[in-house]
């Protein structure tokens, strides 16, 4: 299968190969994300260590062991946030039914 796939690409230029590669990976949900490993202390259903990915759409909460996306929060659903030198907090939802994600991180 690998040889057949390789042979199908014969004759394309390096620039064409780069463009095809970028077109393919740009469809991935984590394309262009920045990833942070953090310790969370507020959500019992999440592991204590989670990976947050920030994309142009919002914030993903990912289980670092299984790579499963546990939640995706669009920026328009994040009502507030705060940060300090070792922590940050995200409030998702409204003031009545909002959840706050409390995280510790050195980055």
């Amino acid at each position: 299968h690998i040889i057949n796939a390789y042979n199908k690409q014969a004759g394309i230029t390096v620039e064409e190969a780069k463009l095809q590669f970028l077109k393919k990976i740009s469809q991935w949900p984590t394309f262009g994300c920045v990833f942070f490993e953090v310790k969370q202390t507020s959500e019992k259903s999440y592991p204590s260590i989670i990976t947050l990915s920030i994309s142009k759409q919002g914030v993903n909460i990912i289980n670092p062991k299984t790579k499963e996306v546990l939640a995706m929060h669009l920026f328009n659903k994040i009502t507030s946030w705060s940060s300090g030198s070792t922590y940050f907090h995200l409030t998702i939802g409204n003031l009545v039914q909002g959840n706050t994600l409390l995280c510790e991180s050195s980055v």
Side-chain angles (χ1 to χ4, degrees):
H1 291 290
I2 294 172
I3 292 172
N4 285 337
Y6 176 80
N7 288 337
K8 287 179 185 177
Q9 304 302 316
I12 68 170
T13 67
V14 171
E15 294 303 316
E16 290 170 326
K18 289 178 184 178
L19 184 59
Q20 285 181 17
F21 175 76
L22 287 174
K23 283 182 180 179
K24 186 68 174 175
I25 66 169
S26 69
Q27 298 169 8
W28 296 356
T30 55
F31 177 75
C33 288
V34 177
F35 296 87
F36 300 95
E37 186 174 275
V38 300
K39 178 181 180 184
Q40 70 87 22
T41 57
S42 57
E43 182 57 52
K44 303 272 188 250
S45 65
Y46 297 160
S48 62
I49 303 296
I50 57 173
T51 301
L52 292 183
S53 71
I54 301 172
S55 69
K56 64 182 178 180
Q57 289 89 17
V59 176
N60 290 297
I61 300 169
I62 301 170
N63 182 321
K65 291 186 176 151
T66 66
K67 308 301 186 231
E68 173 190 6
V69 175
L70 303 172
M72 196 295 181
H73 302 291
L74 299 174
F75 284 126
N76 64 358
K77 300 297 182 191
I78 299 173
T79 53
S80 68
W81 63 274
S82 63
S83 66
S85 60
T86 61
Y87 74 91
F88 66 92
H89 303 163
L90 294 175
T91 302
I92 298 125
N94 57 43
L95 294 175
V96 177
Q97 291 184 313
N99 294 326
T100 300
L101 183 64
L102 309 173
C103 299
E104 297 175 24
S105 177
S106 61
V107 292

